[in-house]
Amino acid sequence: MIVEMRVYHCLPGRLPALQDRFRNTTLALFAQYGIEPLGFWTTLIGPSNHSLTYLLKWDSLADRETRWGAFQADTTWIAKRTASEADQPIVERIENSFLTPTDFSALR
């Protein structure tokens, strides 16, 4: 198992638009492609309160490449993402890390 941590740094004032896009579009497409989120968080205290952090569970890097590639190429996703950013971009930048559990981790 691999966990991917993704951090979306939004432009000021655009975090609500990103959250709406996840609620109304992204999560359904994740389910369609078998992408398993472990949780989503906003930053309460930290360098910026314009960020959304979430974790995705993958069987392997190959599994991630297959599923993520299919999701990114989905025509519905492309159209909805484009429409949600028609007035103004939402995300300034994205960071991601791939984490592997230790032998003493509860999640393995």
Side-chain angles (χ1 to χ4, degrees):
M1 179 195 65
I2 295 170
V3 173
E4 181 178 5
M5 180 176 70
R6 299 182 62 84
V7 182
Y8 287 28
H9 299 277
C10 295
L11 294 166
R14 297 295 283 158
L15 182 58
L18 180 64
Q19 290 174 308
D20 286 345
R21 188 166 74 191
F22 267 92
R23 277 186 208 100
N24 300 318
T25 302
T26 309
L27 290 177
L29 289 168
F30 277 6
Q32 180 180 332
Y33 288 100
I35 297 172
E36 185 179 344
L38 296 175
F40 297 83
W41 299 267
T42 56
T43 304
L44 179 62
I45 299 172
S48 170
N49 64 352
H50 302 291
S51 298
L52 176 72
T53 300
Y54 67 100
L55 302 176
L56 299 173
K57 179 183 170 191
W58 305 105
D59 291 335
S60 65
L61 285 175
D63 175 49
R64 191 264 185 195
E65 292 305 312
T66 300
R67 293 176 192 277
W68 192 257
F71 163 69
Q72 288 291 303
D74 185 280
T75 55
T76 299
W77 166 242
I78 293 167
K80 296 280 188 171
R81 185 185 66 218
T82 301
S84 71
E85 296 182 342
D87 296 334
Q88 178 183 2
I90 293 175
V91 177
E92 177 184 33
R93 66 188 168 87
I94 299 170
E95 296 175 29
N96 69 329
S97 301
F98 295 91
L99 312 170
T100 58
T102 62
D103 62 347
F104 51 87
S105 176
L107 242 173
R108 283 184 281 168

